[in-house]
């Protein structure tokens, strides 16, 4: 059964906006272009690699963690190459999102013991993947229960950097 973006993973203002966009696209009767399905598959790989990096960091397998982050950044580079400069604001926002994810992944990888940061990146990539999947009428990917439990027990600290120092705003 097809799940929509109204599930728990897509909530808030962003989720409502994305839901309207999905509804408009699906009601237009257009078929799903192959490049959109390819983007979902690439995002599947991105989510997998971020999860692998998290697991390797927990297990102190830093070389394997680096390889997972390297693959994740290669996937993001591939997604960047798919953006058409004529896509306007949507393309610019996707480019900004992909570049931000790349920078964040490399930053987290450089700091061992940053499991909570990987989980937040995993959650962001999963939400992005599920938004694309919803547009393409593909199944949603659930958050693994272990990751969800770990995220719930490790809330972000507002106004603090990864080392606990106050961040200038």
């Amino acid at each position: 059964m097809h799940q929509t973006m109204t599930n728990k993973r897509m909530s808030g203002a962003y989720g409502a906006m994305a839901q309207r966009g999905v509804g408009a696209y699906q009601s237009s009767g257009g078929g799903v272009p192959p490049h959109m399905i390819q983007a979902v598959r690439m995002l599947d790989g991105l989510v997998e690699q971020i999860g692998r990096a998290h697991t390797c960091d927990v297990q102190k397998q830093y070389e394997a963690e680096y390889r997972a982050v390297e693959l994740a950044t290669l996937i993001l580079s591939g997604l960047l190459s798919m953006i058409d400069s004529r896509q306007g604001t949507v393309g610019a926002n996707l480019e900004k999102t992909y570049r931000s994810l790349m920078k964040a992944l490399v930053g987290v990888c450089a700091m061992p013991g940053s499991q909570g940061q990987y989980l937040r990146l995993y959650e962001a990539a999963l939400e992005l993947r599920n938004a694309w999947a919803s547009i393409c009428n593909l199944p949603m990917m659930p958050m693994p229960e272990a990751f969800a439990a770990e995220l719930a027990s490790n809330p972000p600290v507002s106004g603090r950097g990864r080392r606990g120092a106050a961040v200038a705003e």
Side-chain angles (χ1 to χ4, degrees):
M1 172 186 265
H2 173 69
Q3 295 178 340
T4 64
M5 288 181 34
T6 57
N7 69 15
K8 294 179 195 173
R9 300 301 327 143
M10 298 298 293
S11 59
Y14 176 78
M17 183 174 29
Q19 184 179 1
R20 284 193 302 274
V22 169
Y25 181 83
Q26 289 175 344
S27 67
S28 72
V32 180
H35 71 277
M36 291 175 68
I37 294 172
Q38 181 181 3
V40 173
R41 297 300 170 227
M42 291 174 77
L43 287 163
D44 286 343
L46 175 65
V47 169
E48 178 184 338
Q49 292 307 317
I50 295 172
R52 182 171 289 136
H54 166 73
T55 301
C56 291
D57 191 36
V58 169
Q59 297 172 352
K60 299 183 184 341
Q61 297 174 347
Y62 300 122
E63 192 172 314
E65 174 191 2
Y66 174 80
R67 283 193 307 271
V69 168
E70 183 178 39
L71 284 172
T73 57
L74 286 172
I75 292 167
L76 286 163
S77 292
L79 287 164
L80 276 168
S81 73
M82 294 172 65
I83 296 174
D84 185 345
S85 62
R86 296 171 291 176
Q87 291 175 319
T89 305
V90 172
N93 287 339
L94 281 172
E95 181 177 348
K96 183 178 177 182
T97 299
Y98 297 154
R99 289 189 190 285
S100 294
L101 279 169
M102 274 198 262
K103 288 177 186 175
L105 279 167
V106 171
V108 171
C109 185
M111 187 174 293
S114 302
Q115 297 95 3
Q117 298 297 325
Y118 276 124
L119 289 175
R120 285 176 189 74
L121 293 172
Y122 183 94
E123 184 177 37
L126 181 64
E127 186 171 334
L128 183 62
R129 181 261 177 224
N130 283 340
W132 277 105
S134 182
I135 291 169
C136 297
N137 285 324
L138 295 173
M140 296 291 129
M141 180 185 288
M143 170 74 80
E145 288 182 24
F147 284 9
E150 198 172 335
L151 259 174
S153 68
N154 189 10
V157 179
S158 179
R160 298 268 174 207
R162 283 180 283 188
R163 295 188 179 178
V167 176
E169 294 188 22

